[in-house]
Amino acid sequence: MRKGILSLTAAAAVLALGLTACGGNSGPTSSTSSASSSQKAGKIGVILPDSKSSARWETADRKYLEEAFKAAGVAYDIQNAQNDKTAFQTIADQMITNGATVLMIVNLDSGTGKTVIDKAKSQGVATIDYDRLTLGGGAAYYVSFDNTKVGTLQGEGLVKCLTDKKASKPIIAELNGSPTDNNATLFKAGYDGVLKPKYDSGDFVKGPDQSVPDWDNTQAGTIFEQMLTSAPKIAGVLAANDGLGNAAITVLKKNNLNGKVPVTGQDATVQGLQNILVGDQCMTVYKAVKKEADAASKLAVALAKGEKPTASGSVKDPQSGQDVPSELMEPQAIYLDNVKDVVADGYVTKAELCTGDFAAKCTEAGIQ
Ligand code: BGC
């Protein structure tokens, strides 16, 4: 594991240098390849979902996909639908009109995702579900993480954090991801698989359990405020990602409960890691997005060249019953003692993490 992380760090450093040397061309919501003059523009189209439900889409996915497409010398167009389903479809139409032969999407829900995939297929455009499986969508490939495992790590994380605190019969609140995101369903299956036996045995007490539409962090705050009003003795929060976790932490702070009530997360965002450094968040799940982006772009580049790449595995679409050729990456649990692994892997930099008051905490956590 450690060895893997070290070699990955070296690879990331080399790539980062390469990127700096090339210079960037990315805008906040759209970026196209500058090398497109000699090539057919927008050969690979990527649609990201939004920039608010998680920092990852703009800070990690866009960056790593861009790096990979540039390295392959292929024309690309990466856009962000900013949580607008109509815009999502318009962007897809424009990409196809502009000559995209491969479309990679992070759907906003399976229904609108399927519409986009159907249209792409009818025009002979190859399709990849990136990170989120479009249920019943029939994309040619699916690249993601083992999302049930992500949830298992979160459930196990909460158990560990509560055990460390010697909590007795803690009331657990579950703040789930968007009901229209298949990943949120998988995360919940993972953590409920860990928590349900604890509820059944009476070790833990099941408290409020609610989904957050569109992973909206503001709504998450309102929902958690209501949860805490209805169950003031909440002693542990299973939050499905760092954004939802931070929303809960903000409410806990107002009630002087931060640090006392363990909160989980996901994505190893700068904010989530800082919350861990100061003890307000107990754990997060690090998903090495670089690996996901690399696997997806490898498929996309091959498809753009007219090849028919094979994936290493497959996932059954529960709606259509079809096996979708897939690449799934492994997630990693992050606690205070291994926050440094995320920095060593190049996912966040010490400069962005260890600002102001966090600097001393970084030193304590052994972050170099
Ligand atoms: C992704 C998570 C992300 C969430 C909100 C999920 O589909 O897998 O990494 O935090 O969406 O954007």
Side-chain angles (χ1 to χ4, degrees), residues 12 71 88-90 107 135 145 180 191 198-199 207 246 254 262 288 290 299 302 320-321 326 328:
F88 197 103
Q89 308 208 17
T90 309
N107 74 56
L135 297 179
F145 283 82
T180 61
Y191 51 74
K198 294 269 170 196
Y199 299 146
N246 189 66
K254 281 198 260 170
K290 184 181 183 323
L299 289 173
S320 66
S326 301
L328 297 185

Side-chain angles (χ1 to χ4, degrees), residues 53-54 56-57 131-132 181 183 187 215 241 267 287:
S53 66
S54 173
R56 63 167 286 184
W57 306 116
D131 201 69
R132 298 176 181 167
D181 179 353
N183 285 346
F187 302 148
W215 295 90
N241 80 356
D267 288 344
K287 302 193 296 189

